[in-house]
Amino acid sequence: MVTTQRTEQIDPVTLAVINNAFVNVCREMGTAMMRTSYSPIFNEGLDFSCMMFNTRGDLIGQAEFCPTMLGSCQYAMKWMLDEVGIDAFKPGDVYIHNDPYRGQNHMPEHLVVKAVFHEGKIWGFVGNVAHVGEIGGMAPGSFAADGTEVYQEGLRLPPLKIIAGGEYVKDIWRVVLANHRTPKTSWGDYHAMIGSLKIAEDRVLELLAKYGAETLTAASDQLLDYSERFMRAEIAEMPDGVYYAQDCMEDDGITNRPYWMRLRLTIRGDEAICDWTDSDDQAKGPINATFVVTAAACYSGFLHVVSNDIPINSGAYRPIRLVTRPGSLMNVKHPGPSVGGNTETHPHIQNVVVRALAGAVPERVAASEGASSCNFLFGGFHPEYGDYYTNYHIEGSGWGGTIAHDGNNVLCPNNGNCRNTPVEILETKYPFIVEEYRLRPDSAGAGRWRGGLASSRVFRVTAPEITVNALFDRTKTHGPGIFGGTEGASSGIFIKRKGDDQFRRFSEVFGTVSDSKFTRVAVTEGDLIRLQSAGGGGFGDPGERPRELVVDDILQGFVSADAARELYGYDGEEG
């Protein structure tokens, strides 16, 4: 049974206080997950998002964690309610699902949801979406970079009750954990997710006791409408018109050819239409985006150029309409694979949206970022502990320059807002030694404001054997500059076998189809693996960059003297 709603207006101060309370509930959920989880992708990477929903499945509150989940926040909860029905939720129940064809991003990301009951009625829901680091499938870490169907990507769960009345649904847990390579870690991470729901439930009940169900429901509805009005006002300030942009994924791990995404963005009054129908057909390999991934990238692209004061909820997305073609790169059809669509294709989509918006609001956009998380996954038996382990490692890339400043160095692509794992944590838990971790000189695109620098990291293998997988992009392409800025450096993954005298591409050493997307490659003790992230594009004419900034870049080691001469026309004799 659902709490009834009322229509009287809440005063603006109370509305702002309640909105901040919703955000704080979600922040506290995330803090609990970070502190109680087992895997580094949770407690160091923060690859999750926490949210609140009303009884219709609308997003009414979200914290500032991972923007890639904006799409699943919008659709996965509604899908779950449509499939199981709101009356299926009883006090103490927790539902879970990770199905990319039921409103999720990709298979590693799991939604867990709990209903909040007040005076015997469901007031709303608390939930989180989080990247579970190992869910089975053909590759350790569950990134089947050369997979050709969803069944190779891991255990797929439709909406299921995993906790019933506060008790384990033991048969579901047995099936899930039997299909994960690292069940102890999965157990811990699932409990971090589920435990955070209890904290959120308690905080929402405190709000209900303070304000009452009717006031809190009315406030949430009015916040949705306010966010919609705010977003419409922001779009209405943009010039009407049709704006175009495109980008490509360099390959799909199966066929050595690019796959193009093409956007026709229409700004019409106070609404925007993102039309992707001219994009390529879906790929054989796992770079396809689900509809919700494309949606999230569009929403996130707009959020980068509009006011930061818009409350993040479903209302903010109402003015942004999507048109996609089922069976295309932007809307994969079953049983097409999609694990890379959320991590690699997503930032490309977002960059395309921002690049299209450059035609409408050039002063608000940035040049393209490196746009690859450089996903590096590995697994094996630990030589010290004897247990099987897996890990999902990401690298930061350079962000694009803007109208006011240089791009940031070595940050997770802006679709993720995640962090990479500190060297000390990685070396403690896994049989690698990090022999190098540094900024890459001359990796940033030149411009009036240059792009951010990329990184270089070298791992030395210390176990007899480790199975590695990779899912990169931008190894053949580059993050383009804008308004005269130049492109950033490309990314790459290379290996130097023990006894060899140079680093080589994996295709040269192991015969992989792709240099950037492969699975189940065995490396051995003494091998060195180099990960290079991609640099951000430059903004504006490099010739307009102030000389003192060029000099400072040279002194910092960010730009070499030769590059300064070639790109900026600086001969070392000025200022």
Side-chain angles (χ1 to χ4, degrees), residues 33 50 60 75 98 124 130 161 216 394 431 490 565:
M33 290 173 65
C50 304
I60 59 173
Y75 297 100
N98 73 331
K161 190 180 294 187
L216 216 57
I394 58 176
S490 61
R565 185 179 306 109

Side-chain angles (χ1 to χ4, degrees), residues 274-295:
C274 298
D275 187 342
W276 299 93
T277 53
D278 289 337
S279 299
D280 284 357
D281 290 344
Q282 72 184 52
K284 293 181 179 179
I287 60 170
N288 301 297
T290 63
F291 176 84
V292 300
V293 165
T294 301

Side-chain angles (χ1 to χ4, degrees), residues 39-40 378 382 385 389-392 421 425-433 462:
S39 63
F378 51 85
H382 200 289
Y385 314 131
Y389 64 87
T390 63
N391 187 51
Y392 172 34
T421 302
I425 299 295
L426 193 143
E427 290 184 343
T428 298
K429 292 179 69 73
Y430 307 112
F432 281 114
I433 295 294
T462 62

